[in-house]
Amino acid sequence: MARVLVYFAHPGRRYSRANLSMAEAVDHLAGVTFIDLYELYPRHDIEIEDEQARLIEHDVIIFQFPLFWYSTPSLLKEWMDLVLEHGFAYGAGGEALKDKIFMCAVTASSPEQAYSPEGFQHYPLRTFLTPLEQTARLCQMRGLPPYVLYESLVASEDERLPDHVKGYKRLIMGLREERYDCEQAGAYDVIQAEDLKALLRDEETA
């Protein structure tokens, strides 16, 4: 069994629909450590040594967040700036995160077709996640394509949200139980709920 660590970053959690539902689906799962960064560090006073110890203890690291101005919420970026130190996460002697799995669970308010050269966001969603992917690469982690919900603000109205939330729980459990096909997942640009059927091994009997 892999040890899964979920870092949830949403400065407006109480107003959230999609992210709050996702958080509630996984925050009490056995073998999963769920950290609400804005609840834990309301004044941004991040405990670096505690966070580094937490990272060492886990095998899979998930960043769950809404896309804010084409990036992460500010506390998650500050967490990265402080916790992923030279000599710990990268650089000389910095191999604490080597071979750990890294993945993002992202909600985006725009529709999927907006993230293309022809769409009004002009770039694929993965382009905006490049700094995170490169960070994982520098830290010698194994990066996986993100789990994505597009048009997240209306997902509860068009009934896509329940499937996405169920899929998120299945994804986390699959990673925990090492049933998620990381090799096959690497062929995807992003992962959506409907893709999980092909990526979760032996799900019916698990």
Side-chain angles (χ1 to χ4, degrees), residues 18 138 144:
L138 181 64
L144 297 178

Coordinates of all heavy atoms in Angstrom, one line a residue, residues 18 138 144:
A18 N -17.1 22.5 -6.1 CA -16.3 21.3 -6.6 C -15.2 20.9 -5.6 O -15.1 19.7 -5.2 CB -15.8 21.6 -7.9
L138 N 12.6 18.4 -11.3 CA 13.8 18.8 -10.6 C 14.0 18.0 -9.3 O 15.1 17.7 -8.9 CB 13.8 20.3 -10.4 CG 15.0 20.9 -9.7 CD1 16.3 20.8 -10.6 CD2 14.8 22.4 -9.3
L144 N 2.7 12.8 -12.9 CA 1.5 12.2 -13.7 C 0.6 13.3 -14.2 O 0.6 14.4 -13.6 CB 0.7 11.2 -12.8 CG 1.5 10.0 -12.2 CD1 0.5 9.2 -11.3 CD2 2.0 9.1 -13.4

